[in-house]
Amino acid sequence: MHMAEMLDQQRNLVAQGCRVAAARGLVDGILGHLSLRVDDDHLLVRCRSDTDTGVAFTRPSDIRLITFDGTAGADGELDGYRVPNELPVHLETMRADAGHRAVAHLHPPSVVAADLAGITMRPIYGAYDIPGTRLARDGVPVYERAVLIRNSALGREMVAAMGGAPVVICRGHGITSAAATVQQAVLQGISLDKLAQMSLRVCAARGALREIDDSSWDDLPDLGSGFNIDAAWRHEVARLSDHPS
């Protein structure tokens, strides 16, 4: 496949990921962005222009090729476009782990609210959402500073708090989700949001948050990427027909 054609496909995927995140309420308005590592020196990232109408309306043309120095990755790539203020979220997350090819920085209100309420994300349910349960099994770390992560030092602080986990909650801010693919990075955000919503509902009903018993784990199998990622992503894309695109 020609390099230009491959980049076009990747731009389409990152733009699609932005629209899926917006359709799921993980971002609102103009805040939030996704990225995808192209090679050791370049990444695609959702950028902004003077005609930007919000993440829900992300176009492939909003996904621009840049270098790890934050400069244009090719002639014209940043003409009329600006990289996100929080580009260090993406750069430092990718630098920390070669397996982090895709990064989603999102602002899911339920996750922010649950964390501010002092609720720790724990595996409180099982087969309701097995990927989400597994995500919470070892705990979801929290970066405790409610800051705009606009420089490398803050990006490295966030990554240190992440500690090798796939997702970190940024207190009073949002989340950063990292994975091998755009699809997985966004789906992790969806699962964490589901867990936060359920935790808030249980607490609102004055219930106690209890982790599932140890004996349940053996009967919560990993159903594989064909189900957890491929089938789940087809559904998310299908949902877009009922949402802005």
Side-chain angles (χ1 to χ4, degrees):
M1 182 183 299
H2 193 273
M3 183 62 177
E5 185 179 354
M6 183 178 297
L7 278 175
D8 285 345
Q9 288 188 4
Q10 292 172 326
R11 289 184 208 269
N12 288 333
L13 177 58
V14 177
Q16 186 181 72
C18 290
R19 297 195 301 272
V20 165
R24 278 293 189 177
L26 305 186
V27 291
D28 188 31
I30 62 172
L31 301 177
H33 23 78
L34 273 68
S35 64
L36 176 65
R37 184 200 300 262
V38 173
D39 55 34
D40 290 343
D41 302 309
H42 299 86
L43 66 150
L44 290 165
V45 65
R46 205 278 187 192
C47 291
R48 297 192 177 99
S49 71
D50 290 338
T51 61
D52 198 333
T53 53
V55 182
F57 302 94
T58 300
R59 306 157 297 188
S61 58
D62 296 323
I63 312 304
R64 315 303 290 188
L65 182 71
I66 66 168
T67 71
F68 274 76
D69 293 327
T71 58
D75 289 344
E77 281 290 338
L78 289 180
D79 289 356
Y81 280 87
R82 302 176 299 278
V83 299
N85 288 323
E86 293 192 297
L87 181 61
V89 167
H90 303 269
L91 299 180
E92 297 306 325
T93 302
M94 289 180 180
R95 283 171 175 150
D97 187 334
H100 292 163
R101 290 194 62 246
V103 177
H105 180 58
L106 311 169
H107 290 191
S110 293
V111 178
V112 174
D115 177 63
L116 292 176
I119 297 171
T120 300
M121 295 294 101
R122 299 155 61 192
I124 59 172
Y125 50 57
Y128 180 81
D129 177 19
I130 295 175
T133 301
R134 290 180 170 274
L135 194 66
R137 185 174 190 176
D138 296 323
V140 179
V142 178
Y143 175 49
E144 296 183 356
R145 301 186 66 192
V147 296
L148 194 70
I149 305 171
R150 58 181 178 172
N151 60 55
S152 296
L154 291 173
R156 288 192 293 270
E157 279 187 3
M158 184 207 70
V159 169
M162 200 169 186
V167 180
V168 62
I169 297 170
C170 301
R171 179 155 293 158
H173 185 173
I175 69 171
T176 297
S177 174
T181 66
V182 167
Q183 296 93 324
Q184 188 175 357
V186 176
L187 290 169
Q188 286 172 175
I190 292 171
S191 282
L192 186 60
D193 190 55
K194 286 180 183 177
L195 183 58
Q197 289 182 30
M198 187 64 76
S199 298
L200 288 167
R201 290 177 70 176
V202 171
C203 290
R206 299 185 179 181
L209 297 176
R210 302 183 182 89
E211 294 189 16
I212 61 173
D213 58 278
D214 290 342
S215 64
S216 294
W217 287 106
D218 289 341
D219 292 310
L220 290 174
D222 183 346
L223 298 177
S225 62
F227 184 83
N228 292 335
I229 299 176
D230 298 345
W233 194 251
R234 285 196 300 272
H235 169 72
E236 297 302 329
V237 173
R239 289 181 79 251
L240 290 178
S241 62
D242 296 324
H243 293 268
S245 61

